[in-house]
Amino acid sequence: MQLYLAGTDFVLEMEPGIWVNEGMTESIQNEDGTITEQEMEPIYQYTGIVRDQQETSNVLFTIDNQIVLGTVYSNTETYVIEQLGWGMDNNTKRTVYVAYKESDVEYTTISSYPSGKEFPLEFLVSNGDEYPHIISVELFDSTGTLLYTNIYALDSHEYVHPPEMKNTDENYIFKVTLDNNITGMYNFTPDTYDYSAADIYITNNYDTGKAYISFGMMVS
């Protein structure tokens, strides 16, 4: 396949997709408060290389029915596709993405932790909206193994900080569902030097009156 990403053309040679969550179920809290189990929407991972860069490239895409996340490592440069959230375009809800090269990202960090410390895996879920929301969080490792799942009912400006977990992988995938009808995915790579935690945030587009999910990273 051909791909134009962050100013660069690629020809990718991809392997067939792997259905990483086959047979898995998720818990959904209905409007009446009851919780039901249902089969998860399929999540597929595709791996491959950049053509003519067999030894110096690596490609990974994670895709479900709504979301596309991806990284292309090519000749010491990493190109990324990430989801920022949702937006309205001519009264149509659309996924908002950003595509960039990691070398173009500027980081400013002040670490309060000693170098070399083994940092835990943590994340924060916050409701920045003035209305309450129900949000479900599923956390997968890079192989598609489900590590954590829970459902939270958050009042306005309430947040939860689940217990920290052992950090055993280089990359994680968060699948988040807001009010049973808005789904977002976040490809989270923990910082290898400073403490970092994934930030899952509910906010509101007050021009449309619609709540949506945004993702980020907290670094200390």
Side-chain angles (χ1 to χ4, degrees):
M1 63 177 286
Q2 290 186 311
L3 177 68
Y4 181 77
L5 181 60
T8 304
D9 283 304
F10 297 100
V11 178
L12 307 180
E13 298 180 358
M14 306 297 292
E15 297 290 335
I18 299 174
W19 185 1
V20 297
N21 63 336
E22 183 176 6
M24 293 184 180
T25 60
E26 59 185 344
S27 299
I28 299 296
Q29 184 167 356
N30 302 313
E31 293 182 358
D32 61 3
T34 61
I35 297 177
T36 59
E37 293 283 332
Q38 68 178 33
E39 187 176 354
M40 295 177 62
E41 292 186 1
I43 300 175
Y44 292 93
Q45 284 193 340
Y46 296 84
T47 59
I49 62 169
V50 178
R51 179 173 292 177
D52 299 326
Q53 297 181 29
Q54 174 107 19
E55 303 298 328
T56 60
S57 68
N58 183 49
V59 180
L60 172 65
F61 287 96
T62 303
I63 300 173
D64 70 0
N65 292 334
Q66 303 179 67
I67 309 299
V68 177
L69 305 174
T71 57
V72 177
Y73 180 78
S74 171
N75 291 329
T76 73
E77 179 65 88
T78 300
Y79 300 78
V80 181
I81 303 173
E82 285 188 358
Q83 181 196 10
L84 291 183
W86 300 88
M88 299 300 294
D89 181 16
N90 293 325
N91 296 319
T92 301
K93 184 177 70 176
R94 300 186 185 279
T95 307
V96 179
Y97 292 96
V98 61
Y100 61 90
K101 295 187 298 183
E102 285 197 344
S103 62
D104 291 336
V105 179
E106 296 183 2
Y107 296 96
T108 301
T109 61
I110 301 175
S111 177
S112 59
Y113 294 86
S115 176
K117 179 178 178 179
E118 183 179 351
F119 301 111
L121 174 63
E122 295 187 83
F123 65 96
L124 184 72
V125 185
S126 306
N127 181 13
D129 195 5
E130 61 181 283
Y131 302 104
H133 292 284
I134 295 174
I135 186 168
S136 69
V137 178
E138 295 163 307
L139 174 62
F140 302 85
D141 65 14
S142 61
T143 68
T145 300
L146 181 64
L147 302 177
Y148 179 88
T149 181
N150 209 338
I151 299 174
Y152 303 101
L154 298 181
D155 289 330
S156 175
H157 302 294
E158 185 180 9
Y159 71 91
V160 291
H161 186 186
E164 64 182 46
M165 292 170 280
K166 189 173 182 179
N167 186 359
T168 59
D169 207 341
E170 295 182 355
N171 187 72
Y172 299 88
I173 300 168
F174 286 91
K175 181 179 180 181
V176 179
T177 303
L178 176 63
D179 297 332
N180 296 330
N181 62 7
I182 299 175
T183 300
M185 293 176 65
Y186 178 43
N187 196 348
F188 175 62
T189 302
D191 191 284
T192 57
Y193 180 79
D194 291 317
Y195 161 80
S196 65
D199 186 20
I200 302 169
Y201 190 76
I202 304 170
T203 188
N204 197 302
N205 184 334
Y206 292 101
D207 291 334
T208 64
K210 302 291 185 179
Y212 63 93
I213 308 163
S214 65
F215 300 99
M217 177 189 293
M218 297 179 293
V219 178
S220 175

